[in-house]
Amino acid sequence: MDVLMICLGIFFTAAFFYICGRQRKPIKAMAVNSASGIVLLILSAAISGFLGCGIPVNYATVIIASGLGIPGVIMLLLIKFII
């Protein structure tokens, strides 16, 4: 399971840099994606009482949300449902 998560993390990181690198303004695209990931992480933590499962906000989740953006938060939610 750990090898699968590491492979998924590497794949999503490579996909993130590939997609942002193809934009006309890659730095702006990365900043917007990171900010949207942090906002989605905060929203998921705020509504975790209603959903029944929430993502704990710690250093690891903030790094994943800011590094990968929305796909990273979705990946964290899927991992939470699997585990």
Side-chain angles (χ1 to χ4, degrees):
M1 183 95 178
D2 292 333
V3 175
L4 176 66
M5 294 303 154
I6 291 171
C7 290
L8 283 174
I10 291 170
F11 173 74
F12 282 123
T13 304
F16 171 73
F17 284 121
Y18 177 74
I19 291 170
C20 288
R22 293 185 52 109
Q23 302 292 324
R24 189 169 8 165
K25 297 180 180 179
I27 302 297
K28 182 180 176 185
M30 287 182 193
V32 168
N33 195 13
S34 296
S36 62
I38 294 293
V39 168
L40 188 61
L41 179 67
I42 291 170
L43 284 175
S44 69
I47 61 171
S48 65
F50 300 118
L51 294 177
C53 76
I55 303 172
V57 179
N58 53 28
Y59 291 117
T61 58
V62 170
I63 289 171
I64 290 171
S66 65
L68 297 177
I70 293 174
V73 176
I74 292 171
M75 182 180 68
L76 287 171
L77 281 171
L78 290 175
I79 289 171
K80 184 71 173 181
F81 282 126
I82 291 172
I83 296 175

